Amino acid sequence: MEKESLYELGKKAKEGDEFALIKIIDRKRHMIEKYSFRDEDRYQYIIEKLIKGIKNYKF
């Protein structure tokens, strides 16, 4: 199975595909953990902003 690009996953996530959104978060998990500085509130805030950004982005 071919690995989908972030662009394709983003388009699917914007259309409402929750599985695509989970895949995006999973791919970016290490970066999110790095910038949350091991703080759970920051981690959740970054994920929330990522979801809002994907929903508002014009593909």
Side-chain angles (χ1 to χ4, degrees), residues 1-47:
M1 188 168 135
E2 188 175 314
K3 194 173 187 181
E4 293 178 299
S5 69
L6 283 175
Y7 179 79
E8 293 168 353
L9 289 172
K11 284 176 56 176
K12 287 181 181 180
K14 184 171 181 163
E15 294 171 359
D17 186 358
E18 291 181 16
F19 192 65
L21 190 58
I22 291 170
K23 283 184 177 179
I24 293 171
I25 292 170
D26 191 47
R27 284 192 188 177
K28 297 298 179 182
R29 183 166 312 280
H30 297 292
M31 184 181 70
I32 295 168
E33 288 173 354
K34 178 182 176 184
Y35 289 106
S36 66
F37 304 107
R38 300 188 189 271
D39 182 12
E40 184 65 29
D41 291 332
R42 287 182 188 172
Y43 184 81
Q44 293 297 325
Y45 180 77
I46 292 170
I47 289 178

